[in-house]
Short mmCIF file of all heavy atoms in Angstrom, two decimals:
data_model
loop_
_atom_site.label_atom_id
_atom_site.label_comp_id
_atom_site.label_asym_id
_atom_site.label_seq_id
_atom_site.Cartn_x
_atom_site.Cartn_y
_atom_site.Cartn_z
N LEU A 160 3.45 -6.14 13.03
CA LEU A 160 4.26 -6.13 11.79
C LEU A 160 4.64 -4.73 11.34
O LEU A 160 5.52 -4.56 10.51
CB LEU A 160 3.47 -6.79 10.65
CG LEU A 160 3.34 -8.30 10.64
CD1 LEU A 160 2.35 -8.73 9.57
CD2 LEU A 160 4.71 -8.94 10.39
N GLY A 161 3.93 -3.73 11.84
CA GLY A 161 4.18 -2.37 11.39
C GLY A 161 3.36 -2.04 10.17
O GLY A 161 2.31 -2.67 9.91
N SER A 162 3.83 -1.07 9.38
CA SER A 162 3.01 -0.57 8.27
C SER A 162 3.59 -0.80 6.88
O SER A 162 3.03 -0.34 5.90
CB SER A 162 2.74 0.93 8.47
OG SER A 162 3.95 1.65 8.45
N PHE A 163 4.74 -1.48 6.79
CA PHE A 163 5.31 -1.70 5.45
C PHE A 163 4.57 -2.84 4.77
O PHE A 163 5.10 -3.93 4.53
CB PHE A 163 6.81 -1.95 5.54
CG PHE A 163 7.59 -0.79 6.09
CD1 PHE A 163 8.35 -0.91 7.24
CD2 PHE A 163 7.53 0.46 5.48
CE1 PHE A 163 9.06 0.17 7.76
CE2 PHE A 163 8.23 1.55 5.98
CZ PHE A 163 8.99 1.40 7.14
N LEU A 164 3.31 -2.58 4.49
CA LEU A 164 2.41 -3.59 3.94
C LEU A 164 1.69 -3.03 2.72
O LEU A 164 1.18 -1.91 2.78
CB LEU A 164 1.33 -3.94 4.98
CG LEU A 164 1.78 -4.54 6.31
CD1 LEU A 164 0.65 -4.46 7.33
CD2 LEU A 164 2.23 -5.99 6.12
N PHE A 165 1.63 -3.80 1.66
CA PHE A 165 0.74 -3.46 0.54
C PHE A 165 -0.63 -4.04 0.84
O PHE A 165 -0.73 -5.12 1.42
CB PHE A 165 1.25 -4.07 -0.77
CG PHE A 165 2.57 -3.52 -1.23
CD1 PHE A 165 3.63 -4.38 -1.49
CD2 PHE A 165 2.76 -2.16 -1.40
CE1 PHE A 165 4.86 -3.89 -1.92
CE2 PHE A 165 3.98 -1.66 -1.83
CZ PHE A 165 5.03 -2.52 -2.08
N LEU A 166 -1.65 -3.32 0.42
CA LEU A 166 -3.02 -3.79 0.65
C LEU A 166 -3.68 -4.12 -0.69
O LEU A 166 -3.40 -3.46 -1.70
CB LEU A 166 -3.82 -2.70 1.36
CG LEU A 166 -3.20 -2.16 2.66
CD1 LEU A 166 -4.08 -1.06 3.25
CD2 LEU A 166 -3.03 -3.29 3.67
N ALA A 167 -4.56 -5.09 -0.67
CA ALA A 167 -5.29 -5.46 -1.89
C ALA A 167 -6.59 -6.15 -1.48
O ALA A 167 -6.72 -6.56 -0.33
CB ALA A 167 -4.44 -6.40 -2.74
N GLU A 168 -7.52 -6.24 -2.42
CA GLU A 168 -8.80 -6.84 -2.06
C GLU A 168 -9.49 -7.44 -3.28
O GLU A 168 -9.26 -7.01 -4.40
CB GLU A 168 -9.74 -5.81 -1.39
CG GLU A 168 -9.99 -4.55 -2.18
CD GLU A 168 -8.78 -3.63 -2.23
OE1 GLU A 168 -8.12 -3.46 -1.18
OE2 GLU A 168 -8.45 -3.10 -3.31
N ILE A 169 -10.35 -8.43 -2.98
CA ILE A 169 -11.19 -9.03 -4.02
C ILE A 169 -12.63 -8.84 -3.55
O ILE A 169 -13.00 -9.30 -2.46
CB ILE A 169 -10.89 -10.53 -4.20
CG1 ILE A 169 -9.38 -10.75 -4.45
CG2 ILE A 169 -11.70 -11.10 -5.35
CD1 ILE A 169 -8.97 -12.22 -4.38
N ILE A 170 -13.42 -8.13 -4.36
CA ILE A 170 -14.82 -7.89 -4.01
C ILE A 170 -15.64 -8.94 -4.77
O ILE A 170 -15.49 -9.08 -5.99
CB ILE A 170 -15.26 -6.48 -4.47
CG1 ILE A 170 -14.25 -5.43 -3.96
CG2 ILE A 170 -16.68 -6.14 -4.00
CD1 ILE A 170 -14.32 -4.11 -4.73
N LEU A 171 -16.50 -9.66 -4.04
CA LEU A 171 -17.24 -10.78 -4.66
C LEU A 171 -18.73 -10.67 -4.41
O LEU A 171 -19.15 -10.14 -3.37
CB LEU A 171 -16.73 -12.10 -4.07
CG LEU A 171 -15.26 -12.45 -4.35
CD1 LEU A 171 -14.79 -13.54 -3.41
CD2 LEU A 171 -15.07 -12.87 -5.81
N ASP A 172 -19.52 -11.19 -5.35
CA ASP A 172 -20.97 -11.17 -5.12
C ASP A 172 -21.46 -12.43 -4.40
O ASP A 172 -22.66 -12.63 -4.24
CB ASP A 172 -21.73 -10.94 -6.44
CG ASP A 172 -21.56 -12.07 -7.44
OD1 ASP A 172 -20.84 -13.06 -7.11
OD2 ASP A 172 -22.13 -11.99 -8.54
N ALA A 173 -20.52 -13.24 -3.94
CA ALA A 173 -20.91 -14.45 -3.20
C ALA A 173 -20.78 -14.18 -1.70
O ALA A 173 -19.93 -13.39 -1.28
CB ALA A 173 -19.98 -15.59 -3.58
N ALA A 174 -21.62 -14.86 -0.91
CA ALA A 174 -21.50 -14.74 0.55
C ALA A 174 -20.49 -15.78 1.02
O ALA A 174 -20.74 -16.97 0.92
CB ALA A 174 -22.85 -14.96 1.20
N LEU A 175 -19.36 -15.32 1.51
CA LEU A 175 -18.35 -16.23 2.05
C LEU A 175 -18.50 -16.25 3.57
O LEU A 175 -19.10 -15.35 4.15
CB LEU A 175 -16.95 -15.73 1.67
CG LEU A 175 -16.64 -15.60 0.18
CD1 LEU A 175 -15.19 -15.16 -0.01
CD2 LEU A 175 -16.87 -16.90 -0.54
N PRO A 176 -17.94 -17.25 4.22
CA PRO A 176 -17.95 -17.21 5.69
C PRO A 176 -17.05 -16.07 6.16
O PRO A 176 -15.86 -16.02 5.78
CB PRO A 176 -17.37 -18.57 6.09
CG PRO A 176 -16.86 -19.21 4.85
CD PRO A 176 -17.30 -18.44 3.66
N PHE A 177 -17.60 -15.14 6.92
CA PHE A 177 -16.82 -13.97 7.35
C PHE A 177 -15.96 -14.30 8.54
O PHE A 177 -16.32 -15.13 9.37
CB PHE A 177 -17.77 -12.81 7.72
CG PHE A 177 -18.65 -12.40 6.58
CD1 PHE A 177 -20.02 -12.34 6.74
CD2 PHE A 177 -18.11 -12.08 5.35
CE1 PHE A 177 -20.84 -11.97 5.68
CE2 PHE A 177 -18.92 -11.71 4.29
CZ PHE A 177 -20.30 -11.67 4.45
N ASP A 178 -14.83 -13.61 8.63
CA ASP A 178 -14.00 -13.74 9.83
C ASP A 178 -14.68 -12.96 10.95
O ASP A 178 -15.36 -11.96 10.71
CB ASP A 178 -12.60 -13.18 9.56
CG ASP A 178 -11.79 -14.15 8.72
OD1 ASP A 178 -11.42 -15.20 9.25
OD2 ASP A 178 -11.57 -13.88 7.52
N ALA A 179 -14.45 -13.42 12.16
CA ALA A 179 -15.04 -12.75 13.32
C ALA A 179 -14.52 -11.32 13.37
O ALA A 179 -13.35 -11.09 13.04
CB ALA A 179 -14.64 -13.49 14.58
N PRO A 180 -15.37 -10.34 13.75
CA PRO A 180 -14.89 -8.96 13.83
C PRO A 180 -13.65 -8.89 14.72
O PRO A 180 -13.59 -9.55 15.76
CB PRO A 180 -16.05 -8.20 14.46
CG PRO A 180 -17.24 -9.08 14.32
CD PRO A 180 -16.75 -10.49 14.20
N ALA A 181 -12.65 -8.10 14.28
CA ALA A 181 -11.39 -8.04 15.02
C ALA A 181 -11.59 -7.31 16.34
O ALA A 181 -12.41 -6.41 16.44
CB ALA A 181 -10.36 -7.31 14.18
N GLY A 182 -10.82 -7.70 17.32
CA GLY A 182 -10.84 -7.00 18.61
C GLY A 182 -9.97 -5.77 18.53
O GLY A 182 -9.66 -5.28 17.45
N ALA A 183 -9.54 -5.28 19.68
CA ALA A 183 -8.69 -4.08 19.72
C ALA A 183 -7.42 -4.34 18.93
O ALA A 183 -6.73 -5.33 19.17
CB ALA A 183 -8.37 -3.75 21.16
N ALA A 184 -7.15 -3.47 17.97
CA ALA A 184 -6.05 -3.73 17.05
C ALA A 184 -4.76 -3.03 17.43
O ALA A 184 -3.71 -3.33 16.91
CB ALA A 184 -6.46 -3.31 15.65
N GLY A 185 -4.82 -2.09 18.33
CA GLY A 185 -3.63 -1.28 18.62
C GLY A 185 -3.97 0.17 18.40
O GLY A 185 -5.01 0.48 17.80
N THR A 186 -3.11 1.04 18.84
CA THR A 186 -3.37 2.47 18.68
C THR A 186 -2.06 3.25 18.75
O THR A 186 -1.05 2.73 19.22
CB THR A 186 -4.34 3.03 19.79
OG1 THR A 186 -3.69 4.09 20.47
CG2 THR A 186 -4.69 2.00 20.81
N CYS A 187 -2.08 4.48 18.30
CA CYS A 187 -0.89 5.33 18.41
C CYS A 187 -0.76 5.87 19.84
O CYS A 187 0.29 6.44 20.18
CB CYS A 187 -0.98 6.51 17.47
SG CYS A 187 -0.95 6.07 15.73
N ALA A 188 -1.84 5.76 20.61
CA ALA A 188 -1.87 6.34 21.96
C ALA A 188 -1.39 7.80 21.90
O ALA A 188 -1.85 8.55 21.05
CB ALA A 188 -1.08 5.49 22.92
N ARG A 189 -0.41 8.15 22.73
CA ARG A 189 -0.01 9.57 22.74
C ARG A 189 1.13 9.87 21.78
O ARG A 189 1.59 11.01 21.68
CB ARG A 189 0.40 9.96 24.16
CG ARG A 189 -0.81 10.04 25.09
CD ARG A 189 -0.40 9.72 26.52
NE ARG A 189 0.40 10.81 27.07
CZ ARG A 189 0.02 11.56 28.11
NH1 ARG A 189 -1.13 11.32 28.68
NH2 ARG A 189 0.79 12.50 28.54
N CYS A 190 1.60 8.85 21.10
CA CYS A 190 2.74 9.05 20.19
C CYS A 190 2.34 9.93 19.00
O CYS A 190 1.27 9.75 18.42
CB CYS A 190 3.24 7.71 19.67
SG CYS A 190 4.59 7.86 18.49
N ALA A 191 3.18 10.89 18.68
CA ALA A 191 2.93 11.72 17.49
C ALA A 191 4.26 11.99 16.79
O ALA A 191 4.46 13.05 16.21
CB ALA A 191 2.24 13.02 17.91
N ARG A 192 5.16 10.99 16.84
CA ARG A 192 6.49 11.18 16.23
C ARG A 192 6.40 11.49 14.75
O ARG A 192 7.20 12.24 14.22
CB ARG A 192 7.33 9.92 16.42
CG ARG A 192 7.90 9.82 17.80
CD ARG A 192 8.72 8.57 17.94
NE ARG A 192 8.53 8.09 19.29
CZ ARG A 192 9.24 7.15 19.87
NH1 ARG A 192 10.20 6.56 19.21
NH2 ARG A 192 8.99 6.78 21.10
N CYS A 193 5.43 10.87 14.08
CA CYS A 193 5.31 11.07 12.63
C CYS A 193 5.00 12.54 12.32
O CYS A 193 5.57 13.12 11.38
CB CYS A 193 4.26 10.15 12.03
SG CYS A 193 2.66 10.20 12.85
N LEU A 194 4.11 13.13 13.11
CA LEU A 194 3.74 14.53 12.85
C LEU A 194 4.96 15.43 13.04
O LEU A 194 5.20 16.35 12.25
CB LEU A 194 2.62 14.98 13.80
CG LEU A 194 1.20 14.71 13.31
CD1 LEU A 194 0.84 13.26 13.31
CD2 LEU A 194 0.18 15.48 14.14
N ALA A 195 5.73 15.14 14.08
CA ALA A 195 6.89 15.98 14.38
C ALA A 195 8.00 15.78 13.35
O ALA A 195 8.75 16.70 13.04
CB ALA A 195 7.41 15.65 15.77
N ALA A 196 8.11 14.56 12.80
CA ALA A 196 9.25 14.24 11.93
C ALA A 196 9.07 14.71 10.50
O ALA A 196 10.04 14.88 9.77
CB ALA A 196 9.50 12.74 11.94
N CYS A 197 7.83 14.91 10.07
CA CYS A 197 7.62 15.23 8.65
C CYS A 197 8.25 16.59 8.34
O CYS A 197 7.84 17.61 8.89
CB CYS A 197 6.12 15.26 8.33
SG CYS A 197 5.84 15.73 6.60
N PRO A 198 9.23 16.60 7.42
CA PRO A 198 9.97 17.86 7.19
C PRO A 198 9.12 18.95 6.55
O PRO A 198 9.44 20.13 6.67
CB PRO A 198 11.10 17.45 6.25
CG PRO A 198 10.94 16.03 5.95
CD PRO A 198 9.72 15.49 6.62
N THR A 199 8.05 18.55 5.86
CA THR A 199 7.25 19.56 5.15
C THR A 199 5.95 19.87 5.87
O THR A 199 5.11 20.59 5.33
CB THR A 199 6.91 19.04 3.73
OG1 THR A 199 6.31 17.75 3.87
CG2 THR A 199 8.14 18.94 2.86
N ASN A 200 5.77 19.29 7.06
CA ASN A 200 4.53 19.47 7.82
C ASN A 200 3.30 19.05 6.99
O ASN A 200 2.29 19.75 6.94
CB ASN A 200 4.40 20.93 8.28
CG ASN A 200 3.36 21.10 9.36
OD1 ASN A 200 3.01 20.13 10.04
ND2 ASN A 200 2.82 22.30 9.49
N ALA A 201 3.44 17.88 6.37
CA ALA A 201 2.33 17.38 5.54
C ALA A 201 1.26 16.71 6.39
O ALA A 201 0.21 16.35 5.87
CB ALA A 201 2.87 16.39 4.51
N LEU A 202 1.56 16.51 7.68
CA LEU A 202 0.55 15.95 8.59
C LEU A 202 0.17 17.07 9.57
O LEU A 202 0.72 17.17 10.67
CB LEU A 202 1.14 14.75 9.34
CG LEU A 202 1.48 13.51 8.49
CD1 LEU A 202 2.42 12.56 9.23
CD2 LEU A 202 0.22 12.77 8.06
N PRO A 203 -0.75 17.98 9.16
CA PRO A 203 -1.06 19.13 10.00
C PRO A 203 -1.79 18.75 11.28
O PRO A 203 -1.78 19.51 12.24
CB PRO A 203 -1.95 19.99 9.10
CG PRO A 203 -2.52 19.05 8.08
CD PRO A 203 -1.50 17.97 7.89
N ALA A 204 -2.42 17.58 11.28
CA ALA A 204 -3.13 17.10 12.47
C ALA A 204 -3.11 15.57 12.39
O ALA A 204 -2.94 15.01 11.31
CB ALA A 204 -4.57 17.60 12.46
N PRO A 205 -3.31 14.88 13.52
CA PRO A 205 -3.35 13.42 13.46
C PRO A 205 -4.39 12.93 12.46
O PRO A 205 -5.48 13.51 12.37
CB PRO A 205 -3.75 13.02 14.89
CG PRO A 205 -3.37 14.18 15.74
CD PRO A 205 -3.50 15.39 14.89
N PHE A 206 -4.05 11.93 11.68
CA PHE A 206 -4.94 11.27 10.70
C PHE A 206 -5.24 12.12 9.47
O PHE A 206 -6.13 11.78 8.69
CB PHE A 206 -6.29 10.83 11.34
CG PHE A 206 -6.13 10.12 12.65
CD1 PHE A 206 -6.50 10.73 13.83
CD2 PHE A 206 -5.60 8.84 12.69
CE1 PHE A 206 -6.34 10.08 15.05
CE2 PHE A 206 -5.45 8.18 13.91
CZ PHE A 206 -5.82 8.80 15.08
N VAL A 207 -4.56 13.24 9.30
CA VAL A 207 -4.82 14.10 8.13
C VAL A 207 -3.53 14.28 7.35
O VAL A 207 -2.54 14.78 7.90
CB VAL A 207 -5.34 15.49 8.55
CG1 VAL A 207 -5.58 16.36 7.31
CG2 VAL A 207 -6.59 15.37 9.39
N LEU A 208 -3.55 13.87 6.09
CA LEU A 208 -2.37 14.08 5.25
C LEU A 208 -2.71 15.07 4.14
O LEU A 208 -3.67 14.87 3.40
CB LEU A 208 -1.88 12.77 4.64
CG LEU A 208 -0.64 13.00 3.77
CD1 LEU A 208 0.48 12.08 4.17
CD2 LEU A 208 -0.96 12.84 2.31
N ASN A 209 -1.93 16.14 4.07
CA ASN A 209 -2.11 17.13 3.01
C ASN A 209 -1.13 16.80 1.88
O ASN A 209 0.07 17.05 2.00
CB ASN A 209 -1.85 18.53 3.58
CG ASN A 209 -1.98 19.60 2.50
OD1 ASN A 209 -2.26 19.30 1.33
ND2 ASN A 209 -1.78 20.85 2.88
N SER A 210 -1.67 16.24 0.80
CA SER A 210 -0.79 15.79 -0.29
C SER A 210 0.02 16.95 -0.88
O SER A 210 1.14 16.73 -1.36
CB SER A 210 -1.61 15.15 -1.41
OG SER A 210 -2.36 14.09 -0.92
#
Side-chain angles (χ1 to χ4, degrees):
L160 284 171
S162 62
F163 297 120
L164 298 165
F165 295 126
L166 306 178
E168 54 289 317
I169 306 169
I170 309 161
L171 296 164
D172 65 0
L175 300 183
F177 301 127
D178 284 290
T186 123
C187 295
R189 289 151 71 117
C190 178
R192 282 180 215 192
C193 52
L194 272 70
C197 178
T199 53
N200 196 21
L202 294 163
F206 313 109
V207 179
L208 180 127
N209 178 0
S210 302

